[in-house]
Amino acid sequence: MASENPEVVVAPVVENGGAESSSSSSKGKEEHLESELLKKLEITEDAKEDNEEEEGEDGSKGETSTKKKKKKKNKSKKKTQQTDPPTIPVVKLFPSGEFPEGEIQQYKDDNLWRTTSEEKRELERLEKPIYNSVRQAAEVHRQVRKYVRSIVKPGMLMTDICETLEDTVRKLISENGLKAGIAFPTGCSLNWVAAHWTPNSGDKTVLQYDDVMKLDFGTHIDGHIVDCAFTVAFNPMFDPLLAASREATYTGIKEAGIDVRLCDIGAAIQEVMESYEVEINGKVFPVKSIRNLNGHSIGPYQIHAGKSVPIVKGGDQTKMEEGELYAIETFGSTGKGFVREDLECSHYMKNFDVGHVPLRLPRAKQLIATINNNFSTLAFCRRYLDRIGETKYLMALKNLCDAGIVQPYPPLCDVKGSYVSQLEHTILLRPTCKEVVSKGDDY
């Protein structure tokens, strides 16, 4: 379909004139139109020249105007930066929806062929949405721990540390019921307490300069959990203890892989861990692997999915398999290297495989409904129940534990007076390579 052209003018037909008069009048009109167009062109060219001269005379104005234009362009292209303290959800920092990969490590020996296998690459493409969810949870973990490490100092209440950390996780992960949020309570176990301690409401414990604190927290997207931990110690005399668990964990990650026996990983971890010693107040202590603590496989909405990764030799002969997610964690102790349950319980978790169990207490029925709606099979603590408005629930909680519906996880402690350090990463055994999803610039 032809478009209209405003420059074309149709000559009017003269009713009583001859051919010559009509042709001469049309010629005259065409000449008139041409002269008008030429005038317009001259005016526009003059205007352009005037503008250029003005810009030449006032160069600073021209420069500022171009700068303003450039600034405007930059603003539109500029990537959103995280605030301090962090408040912007990570989904807004990565508008493409693609989150950064963790550290990639190649498989060894008999599994080298996986790196270039087209079939395995295709399997990875199919699993990409799950990988992306895990990476999102890992990115939240990295940003939260970076912030927390910058603010933690002696004299802080343990409750304040935990609540600051958890509130930051909720903001950055865009907490949304069971679809995104905190995977388990923040462990901030001190000194000889190795794991599973978090302050209950009203706890007034204060972090001291000579404390060794294990900060262990988890994030999840759609039940895909990232479990990662580090140790904070202000006194440099504990540095060798922290180095022992760090190097032992990195050794465990290096040894892990598809078809690797879990016991072989444990033997390698123990060898590295127990090559360290630490001098505390003039006395030298050998660092020991805690023999009854393990790493573990992770499943959707299941922090302990069945397989255990020992940190001493002589463990399970079971092999790791393709597609599995593992928390590789090690604990180094100056004590006996063996933990027992002690102190007041704060951690609880609904048993993953529990069926319907009849309950007599109405309050227990109400509490399990609350747990199902808010936590499902993810771990929780008493502070979380307080936060959602539950009160006077201890008897009902004990009833759920006695019925086998909920499992209590009391603090795990070595001998009093000893010190324990921990380092933990989550790894993904992809078909073509091993991805340390929680790895960051810090550790």
Short mmCIF file of all heavy atoms in Angstrom, two decimals, residues 59-105:
data_model
loop_
_atom_site.label_atom_id
_atom_site.label_comp_id
_atom_site.label_asym_id
_atom_site.label_seq_id
_atom_site.Cartn_x
_atom_site.Cartn_y
_atom_site.Cartn_z
N GLY A 59 32.55 26.42 24.27
CA GLY A 59 32.94 25.00 24.26
C GLY A 59 32.58 24.29 25.55
O GLY A 59 32.24 23.12 25.55
N SER A 60 32.67 25.02 26.67
CA SER A 60 32.38 24.37 27.96
C SER A 60 30.95 23.89 28.02
O SER A 60 30.65 22.82 28.52
CB SER A 60 32.65 25.35 29.11
OG SER A 60 31.81 26.49 28.97
N LYS A 61 30.02 24.71 27.47
CA LYS A 61 28.61 24.31 27.46
C LYS A 61 28.41 23.06 26.64
O LYS A 61 27.68 22.16 27.00
CB LYS A 61 27.73 25.44 26.90
CG LYS A 61 27.47 26.54 27.91
CD LYS A 61 26.51 27.55 27.32
CE LYS A 61 26.29 28.71 28.27
NZ LYS A 61 25.41 29.72 27.69
N GLY A 62 29.10 23.03 25.48
CA GLY A 62 28.99 21.86 24.60
C GLY A 62 29.49 20.61 25.30
O GLY A 62 28.88 19.55 25.22
N GLU A 63 30.63 20.76 26.02
CA GLU A 63 31.21 19.62 26.72
C GLU A 63 30.29 19.11 27.82
O GLU A 63 30.08 17.92 27.97
CB GLU A 63 32.57 20.01 27.31
CG GLU A 63 33.68 20.02 26.27
CD GLU A 63 34.98 20.58 26.83
OE1 GLU A 63 35.09 20.71 28.06
OE2 GLU A 63 35.84 20.88 26.02
N THR A 64 29.73 20.06 28.58
CA THR A 64 28.85 19.65 29.68
C THR A 64 27.61 18.96 29.16
O THR A 64 27.14 17.98 29.74
CB THR A 64 28.42 20.86 30.54
OG1 THR A 64 27.90 21.87 29.67
CG2 THR A 64 29.57 21.38 31.37
N SER A 65 27.08 19.49 28.02
CA SER A 65 25.88 18.85 27.46
C SER A 65 26.18 17.43 27.01
O SER A 65 25.39 16.51 27.24
CB SER A 65 25.32 19.67 26.30
OG SER A 65 26.24 19.69 25.23
N THR A 66 27.37 17.24 26.36
CA THR A 66 27.73 15.88 25.94
C THR A 66 27.97 14.99 27.14
O THR A 66 27.61 13.82 27.13
CB THR A 66 28.98 15.89 25.04
OG1 THR A 66 30.02 16.63 25.70
CG2 THR A 66 28.70 16.51 23.68
N LYS A 67 28.58 15.58 28.19
CA LYS A 67 28.81 14.80 29.41
C LYS A 67 27.50 14.35 30.02
O LYS A 67 27.34 13.23 30.47
CB LYS A 67 29.58 15.62 30.43
CG LYS A 67 31.09 15.60 30.20
CD LYS A 67 31.81 16.42 31.25
CE LYS A 67 33.29 16.50 30.96
NZ LYS A 67 33.99 17.36 31.92
N LYS A 68 26.54 15.29 30.05
CA LYS A 68 25.23 14.95 30.60
C LYS A 68 24.60 13.80 29.84
O LYS A 68 24.02 12.88 30.40
CB LYS A 68 24.31 16.16 30.57
CG LYS A 68 24.55 17.13 31.72
CD LYS A 68 23.66 18.35 31.59
CE LYS A 68 23.99 19.37 32.67
NZ LYS A 68 23.20 20.61 32.50
N LYS A 69 24.74 13.88 28.49
CA LYS A 69 24.18 12.81 27.66
C LYS A 69 24.85 11.49 27.99
O LYS A 69 24.22 10.45 28.11
CB LYS A 69 24.37 13.14 26.18
CG LYS A 69 23.38 14.17 25.65
CD LYS A 69 23.68 14.50 24.20
CE LYS A 69 22.79 15.65 23.71
NZ LYS A 69 23.15 16.05 22.35
N LYS A 70 26.19 11.53 28.14
CA LYS A 70 26.94 10.31 28.45
C LYS A 70 26.52 9.75 29.81
O LYS A 70 26.37 8.56 29.98
CB LYS A 70 28.45 10.59 28.46
CG LYS A 70 29.05 10.64 27.06
CD LYS A 70 30.54 10.92 27.12
CE LYS A 70 31.11 11.06 25.71
NZ LYS A 70 32.55 11.43 25.75
N LYS A 71 26.37 10.66 30.78
CA LYS A 71 25.96 10.23 32.12
C LYS A 71 24.62 9.54 32.08
O LYS A 71 24.40 8.53 32.71
CB LYS A 71 25.89 11.43 33.06
CG LYS A 71 27.25 11.78 33.66
CD LYS A 71 27.12 12.94 34.62
CE LYS A 71 28.49 13.37 35.15
NZ LYS A 71 28.41 14.54 36.03
N LYS A 72 23.71 10.13 31.29
CA LYS A 72 22.38 9.52 31.18
C LYS A 72 22.47 8.12 30.60
O LYS A 72 21.81 7.19 31.04
CB LYS A 72 21.47 10.40 30.32
CG LYS A 72 20.91 11.60 31.07
CD LYS A 72 20.05 12.46 30.18
CE LYS A 72 19.60 13.72 30.90
NZ LYS A 72 18.83 14.61 30.03
N LYS A 73 23.32 7.97 29.59
CA LYS A 73 23.50 6.65 28.97
C LYS A 73 24.07 5.66 29.97
O LYS A 73 23.65 4.54 30.07
CB LYS A 73 24.43 6.76 27.75
CG LYS A 73 23.76 7.31 26.52
CD LYS A 73 24.73 7.36 25.35
CE LYS A 73 24.09 8.00 24.13
NZ LYS A 73 25.05 8.10 23.02
N ASN A 74 25.10 6.14 30.73
CA ASN A 74 25.74 5.27 31.71
C ASN A 74 24.76 4.82 32.78
O ASN A 74 24.81 3.69 33.23
CB ASN A 74 26.93 5.97 32.37
CG ASN A 74 28.09 6.11 31.42
OD1 ASN A 74 28.15 5.41 30.42
ND2 ASN A 74 29.02 7.01 31.73
N LYS A 75 23.89 5.74 33.19
CA LYS A 75 22.91 5.41 34.22
C LYS A 75 22.03 4.25 33.77
O LYS A 75 21.70 3.36 34.54
CB LYS A 75 22.06 6.62 34.57
CG LYS A 75 22.69 7.51 35.62
CD LYS A 75 21.77 8.67 35.97
CE LYS A 75 22.45 9.64 36.92
NZ LYS A 75 21.61 10.81 37.22
N SER A 76 21.64 4.28 32.52
CA SER A 76 20.75 3.23 32.02
C SER A 76 21.46 1.88 31.93
O SER A 76 20.88 0.84 32.14
CB SER A 76 20.18 3.62 30.66
OG SER A 76 21.24 3.78 29.73
N LYS A 77 22.80 1.93 31.65
CA LYS A 77 23.55 0.69 31.50
C LYS A 77 24.16 0.22 32.81
O LYS A 77 24.58 -0.91 32.93
CB LYS A 77 24.67 0.88 30.46
CG LYS A 77 24.16 0.99 29.04
CD LYS A 77 25.31 1.13 28.07
CE LYS A 77 24.81 1.28 26.64
NZ LYS A 77 25.92 1.46 25.70
N LYS A 78 24.26 1.10 33.81
CA LYS A 78 24.97 0.80 35.05
C LYS A 78 24.32 -0.37 35.78
O LYS A 78 23.10 -0.42 35.95
CB LYS A 78 24.97 2.03 35.95
CG LYS A 78 26.03 1.96 37.04
CD LYS A 78 26.06 3.27 37.82
CE LYS A 78 27.13 3.24 38.89
NZ LYS A 78 27.12 4.47 39.69
N LYS A 79 25.16 -1.31 36.24
CA LYS A 79 24.68 -2.50 36.95
C LYS A 79 24.32 -2.11 38.38
O LYS A 79 25.01 -1.32 39.03
CB LYS A 79 25.78 -3.56 36.96
CG LYS A 79 25.31 -4.92 37.39
CD LYS A 79 26.46 -5.91 37.35
CE LYS A 79 26.02 -7.25 37.92
NZ LYS A 79 27.15 -8.19 37.97
N THR A 80 23.23 -2.66 38.90
CA THR A 80 22.81 -2.39 40.27
C THR A 80 23.85 -2.93 41.25
O THR A 80 24.28 -4.07 41.14
CB THR A 80 21.44 -3.05 40.56
OG1 THR A 80 20.53 -2.68 39.52
CG2 THR A 80 20.89 -2.61 41.89
N GLN A 81 24.25 -2.09 42.18
CA GLN A 81 25.25 -2.48 43.18
C GLN A 81 24.57 -2.77 44.51
O GLN A 81 23.59 -2.12 44.87
CB GLN A 81 26.28 -1.36 43.37
CG GLN A 81 27.11 -1.04 42.12
CD GLN A 81 28.08 -2.15 41.76
OE1 GLN A 81 28.67 -2.78 42.63
NE2 GLN A 81 28.22 -2.41 40.47
N GLN A 82 25.16 -3.74 45.26
CA GLN A 82 24.63 -4.07 46.57
C GLN A 82 24.92 -2.93 47.55
O GLN A 82 25.95 -2.27 47.46
CB GLN A 82 25.26 -5.38 47.08
CG GLN A 82 24.67 -5.90 48.38
CD GLN A 82 23.17 -6.09 48.34
OE1 GLN A 82 22.39 -5.17 48.61
NE2 GLN A 82 22.74 -7.28 47.97
N THR A 83 23.99 -2.69 48.46
CA THR A 83 24.17 -1.63 49.46
C THR A 83 24.98 -2.16 50.64
O THR A 83 25.28 -3.35 50.73
CB THR A 83 22.79 -1.18 49.97
OG1 THR A 83 22.07 -2.32 50.47
CG2 THR A 83 21.99 -0.53 48.87
N ASP A 84 25.35 -1.27 51.54
CA ASP A 84 26.04 -1.66 52.77
C ASP A 84 25.35 -0.97 53.95
O ASP A 84 25.41 0.25 54.06
CB ASP A 84 27.52 -1.25 52.70
CG ASP A 84 28.31 -1.74 53.91
OD1 ASP A 84 27.86 -2.72 54.54
OD2 ASP A 84 29.37 -1.15 54.22
N PRO A 85 24.67 -1.69 54.83
CA PRO A 85 24.46 -3.15 54.85
C PRO A 85 23.59 -3.63 53.68
O PRO A 85 22.80 -2.85 53.15
CB PRO A 85 23.75 -3.39 56.19
CG PRO A 85 23.11 -2.08 56.53
CD PRO A 85 24.00 -1.02 55.98
N PRO A 86 23.74 -4.91 53.30
CA PRO A 86 23.02 -5.43 52.13
C PRO A 86 21.50 -5.44 52.34
O PRO A 86 21.02 -5.91 53.37
CB PRO A 86 23.55 -6.87 51.98
CG PRO A 86 24.72 -6.97 52.88
CD PRO A 86 24.57 -5.94 53.93
N THR A 87 20.77 -4.90 51.36
CA THR A 87 19.31 -4.88 51.44
C THR A 87 18.65 -5.27 50.12
O THR A 87 17.47 -5.59 50.09
CB THR A 87 18.80 -3.47 51.83
OG1 THR A 87 19.37 -2.52 50.92
CG2 THR A 87 19.19 -3.09 53.24
N ILE A 88 19.43 -5.23 49.01
CA ILE A 88 18.83 -5.49 47.69
C ILE A 88 18.81 -7.00 47.43
O ILE A 88 19.85 -7.66 47.51
CB ILE A 88 19.63 -4.77 46.58
CG1 ILE A 88 19.65 -3.26 46.83
CG2 ILE A 88 19.05 -5.08 45.21
CD1 ILE A 88 20.58 -2.48 45.95
N PRO A 89 17.64 -7.56 47.12
CA PRO A 89 17.58 -9.00 46.81
C PRO A 89 18.49 -9.36 45.64
O PRO A 89 18.63 -8.57 44.69
CB PRO A 89 16.11 -9.22 46.44
CG PRO A 89 15.37 -8.08 47.06
CD PRO A 89 16.32 -6.92 47.06
N VAL A 90 19.13 -10.53 45.70
CA VAL A 90 20.10 -10.90 44.66
C VAL A 90 19.44 -11.04 43.28
O VAL A 90 20.10 -10.87 42.26
CB VAL A 90 20.88 -12.18 45.01
CG1 VAL A 90 21.81 -11.96 46.18
CG2 VAL A 90 19.96 -13.35 45.25
N VAL A 91 18.14 -11.33 43.25
CA VAL A 91 17.47 -11.42 41.94
C VAL A 91 17.51 -10.09 41.18
O VAL A 91 17.55 -10.08 39.95
CB VAL A 91 15.99 -11.89 42.05
CG1 VAL A 91 15.89 -13.37 42.25
CG2 VAL A 91 15.26 -11.17 43.16
N LYS A 92 17.55 -8.97 41.93
CA LYS A 92 17.63 -7.65 41.28
C LYS A 92 19.06 -7.34 40.83
O LYS A 92 19.26 -6.52 39.95
CB LYS A 92 17.12 -6.58 42.24
CG LYS A 92 15.61 -6.66 42.49
CD LYS A 92 15.11 -5.51 43.33
CE LYS A 92 13.60 -5.62 43.54
NZ LYS A 92 13.09 -4.54 44.42
N LEU A 93 20.03 -7.97 41.46
CA LEU A 93 21.43 -7.76 41.07
C LEU A 93 21.79 -8.56 39.83
O LEU A 93 22.76 -8.27 39.15
CB LEU A 93 22.37 -8.16 42.22
CG LEU A 93 22.20 -7.39 43.54
CD1 LEU A 93 23.15 -7.94 44.58
CD2 LEU A 93 22.44 -5.91 43.35
N PHE A 94 20.99 -9.59 39.54
CA PHE A 94 21.22 -10.43 38.36
C PHE A 94 19.92 -10.49 37.55
O PHE A 94 19.20 -11.50 37.58
CB PHE A 94 21.67 -11.84 38.77
CG PHE A 94 22.98 -11.86 39.51
CD1 PHE A 94 23.01 -11.78 40.90
CD2 PHE A 94 24.18 -11.94 38.83
CE1 PHE A 94 24.21 -11.77 41.59
CE2 PHE A 94 25.40 -11.94 39.51
CZ PHE A 94 25.41 -11.85 40.88
N PRO A 95 19.60 -9.39 36.84
CA PRO A 95 18.30 -9.31 36.15
C PRO A 95 18.11 -10.38 35.08
O PRO A 95 16.99 -10.70 34.71
CB PRO A 95 18.29 -7.91 35.53
CG PRO A 95 19.69 -7.40 35.62
CD PRO A 95 20.39 -8.16 36.69
N SER A 96 19.22 -10.95 34.58
CA SER A 96 19.11 -12.01 33.57
C SER A 96 18.54 -13.29 34.16
O SER A 96 18.06 -14.17 33.45
CB SER A 96 20.48 -12.31 32.96
OG SER A 96 21.34 -12.85 33.95
N GLY A 97 18.61 -13.40 35.51
CA GLY A 97 18.15 -14.63 36.16
C GLY A 97 19.20 -15.72 36.20
O GLY A 97 18.97 -16.80 36.73
N GLU A 98 20.39 -15.44 35.64
CA GLU A 98 21.50 -16.41 35.66
C GLU A 98 22.46 -16.01 36.78
O GLU A 98 22.98 -14.90 36.79
CB GLU A 98 22.25 -16.39 34.31
CG GLU A 98 21.42 -16.85 33.14
CD GLU A 98 21.13 -18.35 33.16
OE1 GLU A 98 22.07 -19.11 33.47
OE2 GLU A 98 19.99 -18.75 32.88
N PHE A 99 22.70 -16.94 37.71
CA PHE A 99 23.56 -16.64 38.85
C PHE A 99 24.95 -17.25 38.65
O PHE A 99 25.10 -18.24 37.94
CB PHE A 99 22.90 -17.15 40.13
CG PHE A 99 21.62 -16.44 40.44
CD1 PHE A 99 20.40 -16.94 40.00
CD2 PHE A 99 21.63 -15.23 41.11
CE1 PHE A 99 19.22 -16.26 40.24
CE2 PHE A 99 20.46 -14.54 41.36
CZ PHE A 99 19.25 -15.05 40.93
N PRO A 100 25.98 -16.63 39.27
CA PRO A 100 27.35 -17.07 38.99
C PRO A 100 27.66 -18.49 39.44
O PRO A 100 27.18 -18.93 40.49
CB PRO A 100 28.22 -16.06 39.75
CG PRO A 100 27.31 -15.42 40.74
CD PRO A 100 25.94 -15.49 40.19
N GLU A 101 28.46 -19.18 38.63
CA GLU A 101 28.92 -20.53 38.98
C GLU A 101 29.86 -20.46 40.17
O GLU A 101 30.50 -19.45 40.41
CB GLU A 101 29.71 -21.13 37.81
CG GLU A 101 28.87 -21.78 36.75
CD GLU A 101 29.74 -22.51 35.72
OE1 GLU A 101 30.91 -22.15 35.55
OE2 GLU A 101 29.22 -23.42 35.08
N GLY A 102 29.96 -21.57 40.88
CA GLY A 102 30.97 -21.68 41.93
C GLY A 102 32.31 -22.04 41.31
O GLY A 102 32.50 -21.92 40.09
N GLU A 103 33.23 -22.51 42.14
CA GLU A 103 34.54 -22.92 41.63
C GLU A 103 34.42 -24.28 40.93
O GLU A 103 33.84 -25.21 41.48
CB GLU A 103 35.53 -23.03 42.80
CG GLU A 103 36.94 -23.40 42.37
CD GLU A 103 37.86 -23.59 43.56
OE1 GLU A 103 37.81 -24.67 44.18
OE2 GLU A 103 38.63 -22.67 43.87
N ILE A 104 34.95 -24.36 39.72
CA ILE A 104 34.89 -25.60 38.95
C ILE A 104 36.18 -26.40 39.15
O ILE A 104 37.27 -25.86 39.01
CB ILE A 104 34.68 -25.32 37.44
CG1 ILE A 104 33.38 -24.52 37.22
CG2 ILE A 104 34.66 -26.62 36.63
CD1 ILE A 104 32.11 -25.21 37.65
N GLN A 105 36.04 -27.67 39.51
CA GLN A 105 37.19 -28.58 39.62
C GLN A 105 36.93 -29.78 38.71
O GLN A 105 35.81 -30.31 38.68
CB GLN A 105 37.40 -29.04 41.07
CG GLN A 105 37.79 -27.92 42.02
CD GLN A 105 38.13 -28.43 43.42
OE1 GLN A 105 38.26 -29.64 43.66
NE2 GLN A 105 38.27 -27.51 44.35
#
